[in-house]
Amino acid sequence: MTDKAKDALPITVRNVTKTYGKVFALNDVCLDIKSGEFLTLLGPSGSGKTTLLMVLAGFTRPDSGSLMFGDREVIRTAPHLRDVGMVFQNYALFPHMTVAGNVGYPLRLRKIGKSEMDERINRALETVQLGGYGDRKIDQLSGGQKQRVALARSIVFEPRILLMDEPLSALDKKLRDRMQIELRHLHEKLGMTTVYVTHDQREALTMSDRIAVVNFGRIMQLANPRQLYDQPANRFVADFIGDSTFLPVTRNGSGVTFDGAALKTTNPVPDAASLLLMLRPERVRLLSGATGDNMNTFAATVSELVYQGDSYLMYAQLPDGSEISLRGAVRDGTVSGLPKVGDPVTLGLDPADTVVIDGTDS
Ligand code: ADP
Ligand code: MG
């Protein structure tokens, strides 16, 4: 299972629509997935992530559209002829079979001989760090081990495309954090084109080369984690990824105006009828005394101050009544040096952190 990257395939989704009655599970989806990349479909429950994965796997036939693996049209190809490995949310293991029985299942379907089968099963189990577990029963395994068995079964026939639907959602947080990194390493080792589904934004940011944010059966934005966090295309994406507060602004030359005051930005201002300034709590600064002259500033009053262990979260009210939040480091384990509720404060925003997004309801 080495040098898979050269065998990996790009995936091209063109105008794929799938309806259930009046519901558009997928609404004219176009998506280009690069050969060997780790792409995540991220979106809330019911947004169409599983439906898109099932279309890729061949278990769901869309109403219309085209699907290419490399230069091969596969929209009418049966699942077992697509060369796709799949990990389901609930593992879908056979409880009465051993670990080796489960992992070997796709090989038996493909009529692989006994000795090659044993060798491949062992190799897949080694890859997911379950070497020597072949004879165990499924019900003797922990959640994390079951997940690895499902993963071994999905890679044992060396597919060129790997699809995973919320594979870590049943695990507790510590194990999930570790498995995220392990899956990422496994992808680097095997290099197959991977499409991963999650509703967890932090998981998506941790694992992905690129993320497609999905809502109402549409791709809202396709970008790498950094771009998605720093330059969200609209309010839905900004809200779904990270925390933020928003202020209504109007265009003013190359910058914008908020409540009569001009704000400088080094970022492009979108060409939209309605504009919002997006403020990430960790980018807003609490200014004391002298202010950098290049900083955008806001006079405000502290309305809440919350101690959160590794950091504090402050809410501050602006003269027009809107509220913004800022996060800062806790020093000496307390918030004692900070302003109190009711105190006036000056908040600063660097022009580089002054990000204006399309505020039109989309
Ligand atoms: P996600 O995986 O993002 O939670 P799904 O792809 O499962 O979303 O579902 C998208 C939409 O399609 C939802 O509104 C869901 O109720 C609907 N849907 C999905 N599968 C079916 C089905 N087999 N029959 C009817 N409606 C479905
Ligand atoms: Mg789903």
Side-chain angles (χ1 to χ4, degrees):
M1 266 187 241
T2 52
D3 281 341
K4 291 297 290 183
K6 64 172 180 279
D7 297 335
L9 281 176
I11 301 173
T12 311
V13 181
R14 281 288 169 272
N15 308 105
V16 165
T17 292
K18 174 70 189 173
T19 54
Y20 291 105
K22 287 184 178 149
V23 174
F24 280 77
L26 297 174
N27 191 346
D28 201 27
V29 169
C30 295
L31 182 61
D32 286 281
I33 304 171
K34 294 177 195 165
S35 177
E37 91 170 316
F38 194 116
L39 183 129
T40 295
L41 304 175
L42 172 67
S45 177
S47 57
K49 307 180 297 293
T50 294
T51 304
L52 182 50
L53 214 62
M54 288 300 177
V55 167
L56 298 180
F59 296 117
T60 295
R61 173 80 68 88
D63 305 346
S64 56
S66 147
L67 174 63
M68 312 269 286
F69 290 172
D71 51 18
R72 187 164 67 108
E73 173 65 58
V74 294
I75 204 82
R76 291 173 193 287
T77 306
H80 69 285
L81 299 175
R82 288 192 183 195
D83 202 9
V84 162
M86 173 115 193
V87 182
F88 299 90
Q89 184 165 359
N90 55 8
Y91 314 138
L93 298 172
F94 303 111
H96 57 282
M97 285 188 202
T98 60
V99 167
N102 272 276
V103 173
Y105 183 74
L107 301 177
R108 283 197 298 281
L109 280 186
R110 288 167 175 78
K111 311 247 187 291
I112 306 281
K114 170 91 173 94
S115 67
E116 190 186 344
M117 176 141 80
D118 289 346
E119 189 193 316
R120 287 219 207 171
I121 291 170
N122 288 336
R123 215 180 331 156
L125 286 175
E126 295 285 344
T127 304
V128 299
Q129 294 167 32
L130 280 181
Y133 279 70
D135 294 333
R136 295 273 188 108
K137 290 269 175 51
I138 294 301
D139 59 11
Q140 295 172 333
L141 302 178
S142 69
Q145 289 169 333
K146 284 181 192 161
Q147 203 281 335
R148 281 167 220 243
V149 174
L151 192 59
R153 184 179 59 184
S154 73
I155 60 175
V156 73
F157 60 98
E158 305 188 3
R160 303 217 273 176
I161 292 169
L162 181 59
L163 308 175
M164 291 188 267
D165 194 355
E166 312 221 19
L168 307 182
S169 60
L171 306 180
D172 66 49
K173 182 170 179 333
K174 273 205 175 126
L175 188 55
R176 209 162 61 221
D177 287 350
R178 217 179 60 222
M179 286 301 300
Q180 286 169 7
I181 294 168
E182 273 186 33
L183 283 180
R184 183 67 228 189
H185 287 324
L186 188 68
H187 174 257
E188 277 155 20
K189 185 168 157 205
L190 302 180
M192 52 188 81
T193 307
T194 301
V195 185
Y196 189 91
V197 163
T198 183
H199 63 271
D200 179 336
Q201 47 115 353
R202 190 170 292 279
E203 185 163 297
L205 294 173
T206 302
M207 304 185 72
S208 319
D209 294 320
R210 290 191 304 162
I211 299 169
V213 180
V214 186
N215 197 26
F216 297 125
R218 289 176 179 273
I219 310 275
M220 308 295 282
Q221 187 171 7
L222 172 63
N224 71 38
R226 184 76 202 266
Q227 288 165 339
L228 214 55
Y229 190 80
D230 288 347
Q231 300 283 337
N234 53 43
R235 179 163 185 161
F236 175 81
V237 177
D239 260 336
F240 201 73
I241 298 180
D243 293 326
S244 35
T245 50
F246 302 92
L247 297 176
V249 292
T250 51
R251 181 184 287 277
N252 175 22
S254 63
V256 292
T257 301
F258 168 68
D259 200 18
L263 303 176
K264 283 170 284 204
T265 177
T266 58
N267 300 302
V269 175
D271 193 12
S274 157
L275 297 172
L276 290 172
L277 173 64
M278 175 190 76
L279 300 112
R280 297 291 195 194
E282 75 283 4
R283 305 277 168 89
V284 179
R285 318 252 193 103
L286 181 61
L287 301 179
S288 53
T291 61
D293 12 283
N294 207 23
M295 202 57 110
N296 294 311
T297 58
F298 302 85
T301 307
V302 179
S303 48
E304 295 279 356
L305 184 62
V306 189
Y307 171 73
Q308 294 187 327
D310 56 346
S311 61
Y312 69 83
L313 189 62
M314 180 187 287
Y315 292 89
Q317 196 166 36
L318 303 181
D320 77 331
S322 47
E323 202 169 54
I324 61 184
S325 64
L326 84 124
R327 183 178 292 286
V330 167
R331 296 198 179 78
D332 311 326
T334 73
V335 291
S336 59
L338 292 169
K340 295 174 194 54
V341 171
D343 285 354
V345 285
T346 304
L347 305 180
L349 191 64
D350 198 287
D353 294 329
T354 303
V355 176
V356 178
I357 64 168
D358 184 342
T360 327
D361 278 331
S362 42

